Amino acid sequence: MKLLLAEDDPLVGDGVAQGLRLAGFTVDWMRDGREALHALKVGSYSLLLLDLGLPLLDGLALLDKLRRQGNTIPVLVITARDALPDRIDGLNRGADDYLVKPFDLDELVARIHALLRRGQGRSHSELRLGTLCVSPLNHTVTLDGQDVPLTSREFALLAALMETPGAVISVRDIEERLYGWEEEVSNNAVEVLLHRLRKKLGGEWIRNVRGVGFKIVEPA
């Protein structure tokens, strides 16, 4: 899952970005509101982590612009403004959740997963298809009750496919979900990941729809 972090404090931003990447997320980090707004226009993100005290365009102004444009991306506000009126104002203007600095990374990760589940209409954290179970929160995969060890990139790819079983995802969409702006992506990076994933799960789980993309299905 790909997140956009809008945070101008270099220490906070670096710590949060690194922690979320270790938790299995792909993270693009923008240091001001204008950069963040541009990233949201040209990129695809599952959730926005928004600091309110951004330069050039503050967090609430950015949030107002998004909601006026009809952008429904889940927004988790992370800020040092802990006064109740500030929290109420942020929520009333379109934020989905609010976390006051300093916060524990585990709580941040749990809140992100909760917002993503809500946005996908799921009440539980696990993604299931037949005997295949993916837990984004625990970063584990089981098949027929047996653990399947995956790299972080393989896990991210499988989770992306499992969000909508049977739906075809293009290679470009997969690249957008798995890689950040600053990462170089080789021409066959996704194909290599898919090949490794098929070897670990079995070739019948992931189907190639020629000229369109890939989908995950339960083997017959």
Side-chain angles (χ1 to χ4, degrees), residues 24-119:
F25 295 101
T26 300
V27 182
D28 282 338
W29 173 22
M30 302 299 155
R31 277 74 166 177
D32 67 63
R34 289 182 184 172
E35 278 189 346
L37 188 61
H38 176 70
L40 288 163
K41 286 180 180 178
V42 301
S44 177
Y45 298 94
S46 297
L47 183 140
L48 169 63
L49 294 164
L50 179 64
D51 177 46
L52 296 184
L54 296 172
L56 301 183
L57 180 68
D58 71 49
L60 287 177
L62 190 157
L63 184 58
D64 285 339
K65 283 180 177 291
L66 289 178
R67 296 317 190 211
R68 283 201 305 270
Q69 294 168 359
N71 191 323
T72 59
I73 184 173
V75 176
L76 173 53
V77 170
I78 51 173
T79 181
R81 301 180 191 176
D82 61 351
L84 181 59
D86 287 328
R87 297 201 299 272
I88 292 174
D89 189 32
L91 293 169
N92 284 339
R93 291 166 75 166
D96 296 277
D97 200 357
Y98 206 107
L99 194 56
V100 177
K101 301 174 185 175
F103 49 78
D104 184 86
L105 182 65
D106 288 341
E107 181 181 4
L108 176 62
V109 170
R111 286 175 180 259
I112 289 171
H113 280 295
L115 286 176
L116 293 174
R117 288 199 307 272
R118 187 189 309 166

Side-chain angles (χ1 to χ4, degrees), residues 2 21 27-31 179-185:
K2 190 172 183 180
R21 287 170 184 143
V27 182
D28 282 338
W29 173 22
M30 302 299 155
R31 277 74 166 177
Y179 300 97
W181 277 15
E182 299 175 357
E183 296 180 89
E184 291 187 11
V185 186

Side-chain angles (χ1 to χ4, degrees), residues 67-217:
R67 296 317 190 211
R68 283 201 305 270
Q69 294 168 359
N71 191 323
T72 59
I73 184 173
V75 176
L76 173 53
V77 170
I78 51 173
T79 181
R81 301 180 191 176
D82 61 351
L84 181 59
D86 287 328
R87 297 201 299 272
I88 292 174
D89 189 32
L91 293 169
N92 284 339
R93 291 166 75 166
D96 296 277
D97 200 357
Y98 206 107
L99 194 56
V100 177
K101 301 174 185 175
F103 49 78
D104 184 86
L105 182 65
D106 288 341
E107 181 181 4
L108 176 62
V109 170
R111 286 175 180 259
I112 289 171
H113 280 295
L115 286 176
L116 293 174
R117 288 199 307 272
R118 187 189 309 166
Q120 296 165 2
R122 295 187 290 115
S123 60
H124 51 84
S125 61
E126 294 179 340
L127 303 168
R128 290 182 176 272
L129 179 62
T131 59
L132 180 62
C133 177
V134 177
S135 173
L137 188 58
N138 298 320
H139 218 254
T140 58
V141 176
T142 60
L143 178 60
D144 295 323
Q146 301 297 312
D147 291 335
V148 180
L150 299 180
T151 67
S152 59
R153 214 59 111 183
E154 291 165 356
F155 183 90
L157 172 55
L158 179 58
L161 293 168
M162 286 285 286
E163 285 177 12
T164 51
V168 181
I169 305 178
S170 70
V171 171
R172 183 171 181 178
D173 285 343
I174 292 172
E175 288 176 346
E176 287 220 346
R177 294 188 190 205
L178 267 60
Y179 300 97
W181 277 15
E182 299 175 357
E183 296 180 89
E184 291 187 11
V185 186
S186 64
N187 291 335
N188 65 340
V190 171
E191 284 80 1
V192 170
L193 280 175
L194 285 163
H195 175 72
R196 296 194 330 226
L197 199 53
R198 279 175 165 145
K199 287 183 67 176
K200 294 181 178 181
L201 296 178
E204 293 301 310
W205 281 93
I206 299 173
R207 304 281 179 84
N208 179 11
V209 180
R210 190 174 297 277
V212 183
F214 298 86
K215 64 180 179 179
I216 191 163
V217 296

